[in-house]
Amino acid sequence: MAYRDVYQSWQDNPEAFWLKAAEAIDWDVAPTKALFDDKAPLYEWFRDTKVNTCYNAVDRHVEQGRGDQVAVIYDSPITGTKAKFTYAELQTRVAALAGGLAAKGVGKGDRVIIYMPMVPEALEAMLACARLGAIHSVVFGGFAANELAVRIDDATPKAIIAASCGLEPGRVVDYKPLLDGAIELADHTPDFCVILQREQHPCDLGARDVDWHGFQEGTAPAACVPVEGTHPAYILYTSGTTGAPKGVVRPTAGHLVALNWTMKNIYNVDPGDVFWAASDVGWVVGHSYICYAPLIHGNTTIVFEGKPIGTPDAGTFWRVIEEHDVKSFFTAPTAFRAVKREDPAGEFVKKYDLSCLGQIYLAGERADPDTIEWMQDKLGKPIYDHWWQTETGFTIAGNPVGIEPLPVKLGSPTVAMPGFDVQILSDEGHPLGAGELGAIAVKLPLPPGTLPTLWNAEERFLKSYLTTFPGYYETGDAGMIDEDGYLYIMARTDDVINVAGHRLSTGAMEEVLAAHPDVAECAVIGVTDALKGQLPVGFVCLSKGVETAPEDVEQGCVKLVRDTIGPVAAFKLCCVVDRLPKTRSGKILRGTMVKIADSEAFKLPATIDDPAILDEIKTALQTIGYAK
């Protein structure tokens, strides 16, 4: 069946489509109905079911005779450690941990915060919570104490599961002082903390702390607890543009159905294949595609502790793929830009046999055409961009390779997946035509597995996502759809700048800059200008070994944008910088850069339509260590 036929079958009968997909899940009480719309616009999926996530991710594979299959591969170039765990071993470990938690009073509906590095025990903690019906909230390991404290107060966990430390190339991150500091700052106090002692940096345990291994001794392994289909599987906090982080809620049944569907239809893997998402359990990719989806589908997943370069070299990705027979690989464009910057000629690629690899997927940041072309050239593999969000939990728009590989258009994550009716809207909420730039919105209801609300913040959920365009989910992204139905993500809606009445995408300018032969990565921001409203300013990082003078690169970038997009872009300012400010997950902090450039503290003049102001902006960035 072709993609268009599959998508049409969903459009014709969403109820039948998702009930059919639900047949792949083992239910305690099977669904008789998929969508419940009696609380619209707060929709629910598979409300009349009972099911357990851990059973579907672990136990059923053992019961079906596949207990000897490897479930988790741990590969840590930082510690030089490698290990493999079968489904049967994973079942034993998870049931024991869940038993220890249950013996200390953790049960269905209780929240448990997980504050862990990239080790197999992080997945075991998530699955142990799911086994009990407890609601986990993973916080990125090493987050500052105040950030962790905010999440403790919002989730009010009964317990926190943490490690003594995290490891990064060249340094140890001491988690215990951060954890203790967060509990001290928070109004809520957990009953107890479970600490995994890592030999690289053990810690002293306090009165509320129990040792990971010790507290499990003498307790009975826990059985799987069936929960309602709408029961929250987890809470994942995503930073809002202002105010407190938003606690995205993931409903259990829809999560199971949607993730299982994606593994074959999008990522083109069969049970038993090795799937690797090079991310972190602290992010949504780690939840969906390191822990849950591969295990639910019966794949082997990789827990990788390291970086794409420097552990030990720019060939780390290729070594892992060859050594562990990876069929499908998923990471962020940022990672490949780092590899490309370190190894522009692709010398490390040639050292490894990548014949096992079927395809590579990118998400998390805009996949600029230059990076994709470099990957295609050096790897000789299909490269598929796809687009989704923490809120959705899986692909909004992608290439349905397991159904039908569609032609790749550089700069586009391809087409909408079943369940997502993606439309481009004007500021007034009117649908726009092919090729017109506007706000990307998804017609309600969203599909199974997407957020039904925010944790303890229903009004904020409505205001943040469902109010701007009634009847639609507001993605916060801007873009367009071409005549073939291909979606283009051009920028966040607040990154669409208005230059003298012209709506321009900073993302389009970034794509042009990324094509410059000396540029490794880049960002374009809109800076306030009294005359034209806003003007674009580009910031570029150079590839390793570039000998061109920075000022020549800057002039070349300006010319490239003006030649490609035209004078309407009013692109006159470009700055070579050492690095770009980023989040822990590698996303460029464009908002931070705008605030720096617009700050009154740097006494920028009323208009920046003058190349001389570039020195002022460089000075501003130098104060926080970004510019040359």
Side-chain angles (χ1 to χ4, degrees):
M1 185 178 285
Y3 157 76
R4 295 292 175 190
D5 297 328
V6 174
Y7 192 81
Q8 189 65 51
S9 71
W10 161 72
Q11 286 185 311
D12 291 343
N13 194 336
E15 182 82 6
F17 183 92
W18 291 116
L19 282 175
K20 179 66 176 176
E23 293 175 3
I25 301 304
D26 284 9
W27 304 94
D28 291 272
V29 177
T32 61
K33 181 178 172 63
L35 178 66
F36 292 80
D37 59 2
D38 52 304
K39 301 177 184 177
L42 302 176
Y43 295 91
E44 294 178 312
W45 290 91
F46 305 112
R47 189 167 71 196
D48 62 352
T49 63
K50 286 288 187 73
V51 69
N52 183 271
T53 294
C54 184
Y55 179 82
N56 277 274
V58 182
D59 297 63
R60 66 168 174 166
H61 303 306
V62 178
E63 293 176 10
Q64 292 168 4
R66 297 173 58 218
D68 291 337
Q69 180 194 314
V70 174
V72 179
I73 297 172
Y74 173 50
D75 191 308
S76 173
I78 294 180
T79 64
T81 304
K82 298 173 188 176
K84 295 182 179 181
F85 304 91
T86 66
Y87 272 99
E89 290 169 334
L90 184 62
Q91 181 187 40
T92 299
R93 292 165 69 101
V94 170
L97 177 59
L101 293 171
K104 291 188 71 65
V106 175
K108 178 185 173 184
D110 289 330
R111 276 78 61 207
V112 176
I113 280 182
I114 299 171
Y115 187 61
M116 299 280 284
M118 280 299 292
V119 291
E121 288 86 353
L123 272 61
E124 293 168 17
M126 297 166 75
L127 292 164
C129 290
R131 194 173 191 85
L132 298 173
I135 304 166
H136 68 66
S137 184
V138 181
V139 178
F140 181 86
F143 248 18
N146 62 302
E147 292 292 330
L148 179 55
V150 169
R151 290 153 175 79
I152 291 172
D153 280 337
D154 195 67
T156 60
K158 176 165 281 191
I160 297 178
I161 303 176
S164 59
C165 71
L167 302 172
E168 295 184 5
R171 75 186 187 108
V172 174
V173 181
D174 193 353
Y175 282 8
K176 190 61 164 56
L178 296 171
L179 174 60
D180 290 342
I183 295 174
E184 183 69 26
L185 288 170
D187 293 328
H188 173 82
T189 302
D191 290 357
F192 65 100
C193 297
V194 180
I195 307 297
L196 174 69
Q197 295 280 23
R198 302 194 70 186
E199 64 181 48
Q200 293 82 10
H201 190 77
C203 64
D204 294 329
L205 300 184
R208 75 170 64 87
D209 304 323
V210 296
D211 175 75
W212 175 285
H213 298 288
F215 99 112
Q216 299 179 40
E217 294 178 1
T219 62
C224 295
V225 177
V227 299
E228 299 78 10
T230 54
H231 182 77
Y234 65 77
I235 305 163
L236 181 56
Y237 289 94
T238 179
S239 297
T241 53
T242 59
K246 295 179 289 189
V248 170
V249 172
R250 191 74 64 215
T252 295
H255 183 231
L256 285 164
V257 172
L259 289 188
N260 185 75
W261 184 90
T262 64
M263 290 305 291
K264 177 60 182 176
N265 291 286
I266 296 175
Y267 300 107
N268 197 30
V269 289
D270 296 308
D273 289 336
V274 180
F275 180 85
W276 180 24
S279 182
D280 190 282
V281 290
W283 315 125
V284 69
V285 172
H287 284 62
S288 293
Y289 292 106
I290 296 176
C291 184
Y292 288 115
L295 297 177
I296 293 164
H297 194 247
N299 292 104
T300 299
T301 187
I302 295 179
V303 176
F304 174 76
E305 184 181 36
K307 302 290 183 183
I309 57 174
T311 51
D313 53 42
T316 299
F317 276 176
W318 325 130
R319 190 271 300 168
V320 172
I321 289 169
E322 178 192 80
E323 185 172 330
H324 301 305
D325 200 32
V326 175
K327 182 179 180 183
S328 214
F329 178 45
F330 174 2
T331 192
T334 300
F336 276 110
R337 284 193 285 266
V339 172
K340 173 174 172 277
R341 188 178 187 183
E342 187 71 20
D343 184 27
E347 293 299 326
F348 285 103
V349 179
K350 302 172 186 176
K351 298 181 179 181
Y352 298 94
D353 177 5
L354 303 183
S355 58
C356 61
L357 184 63
Q359 54 275 321
I360 294 173
Y361 296 86
L362 301 174
E365 269 271 285
R366 183 180 302 104
D368 58 279
D370 186 63
T371 296
I372 293 178
E373 288 176 330
W374 180 86
M375 294 169 65
Q376 290 171 334
D377 177 55
K378 305 306 179 190
L379 299 170
K381 302 289 181 180
I383 312 298
Y384 299 114
D385 185 18
H386 63 324
W387 171 66
W388 48 292
Q389 300 177 322
T390 299
E391 288 86 349
T392 65
F394 69 101
T395 308
I396 302 172
N399 201 311
V401 182
I403 299 172
E404 172 195 15
L406 298 177
V408 170
K409 292 188 180 184
L410 294 179
S412 171
T414 315
V415 293
M417 291 296 97
F420 293 98
D421 182 354
V422 179
Q423 299 189 21
I424 308 298
L425 304 180
S426 68
D427 291 343
E428 295 75 31
H430 305 307
L432 298 175
E436 292 187 272
L437 178 65
I440 304 172
V442 181
K443 193 171 183 180
L444 297 176
L446 294 176
T450 56
L451 83 168
T453 189
L454 295 174
W455 182 253
N456 289 336
E458 186 174 291
E459 286 302 315
R460 188 181 183 192
F461 169 70
L462 294 169
K463 182 178 180 180
S464 297
Y465 301 106
L466 306 185
T467 301
T468 302
F469 304 114
Y472 292 88
Y473 164 80
E474 181 185 7
T475 68
D477 285 304
M480 65 178 187
I481 297 176
D482 71 9
E483 62 280 358
D484 297 322
Y486 278 58
L487 179 67
Y488 291 79
I489 316 299
M490 306 308 295
R492 295 292 292 175
T493 49
D494 51 9
D495 288 331
V496 173
I497 63 174
N498 194 314
V499 181
H502 298 284
R503 284 168 57 85
L504 299 171
S505 166
T506 57
M509 298 182 209
E510 288 178 4
E511 289 189 2
V512 175
L513 291 180
H516 190 288
D518 295 333
V519 172
E521 61 179 349
C522 61
V524 175
I525 62 172
V527 178
T528 302
D529 179 79
L531 179 63
K532 295 188 177 181
Q534 288 179 294
L535 282 175
V537 180
F539 299 90
V540 299
C541 297
L542 302 185
S543 297
K544 186 177 182 179
V546 169
E547 297 180 356
T548 310
E551 57 269 22
D552 292 337
V553 175
E554 292 166 355
Q555 292 172 12
C557 286
V558 169
K559 184 177 186 302
L560 193 60
V561 172
R562 293 180 71 82
D563 289 348
T564 305
I565 297 180
V568 68
F571 189 83
K572 299 178 181 179
L573 304 175
C574 186
C575 178
V576 171
V577 298
D578 291 331
R579 59 191 177 92
L580 298 170
K582 296 178 182 178
T583 66
R584 290 267 192 173
S585 61
K587 292 184 179 180
I588 296 171
L589 291 164
R590 292 171 178 83
T592 298
M593 297 173 72
V594 171
K595 290 176 183 177
I596 292 169
D598 274 349
S599 172
E600 292 184 4
F602 297 111
K603 299 183 173 66
L604 301 186
T607 177
I608 63 164
D609 196 7
D610 177 354
I613 195 56
L614 193 57
D615 290 335
E616 298 280 354
I617 296 175
K618 283 186 180 180
T619 300
L621 286 168
Q622 278 176 329
T623 64
I624 53 171
Y626 296 124
K628 286 186 178 295

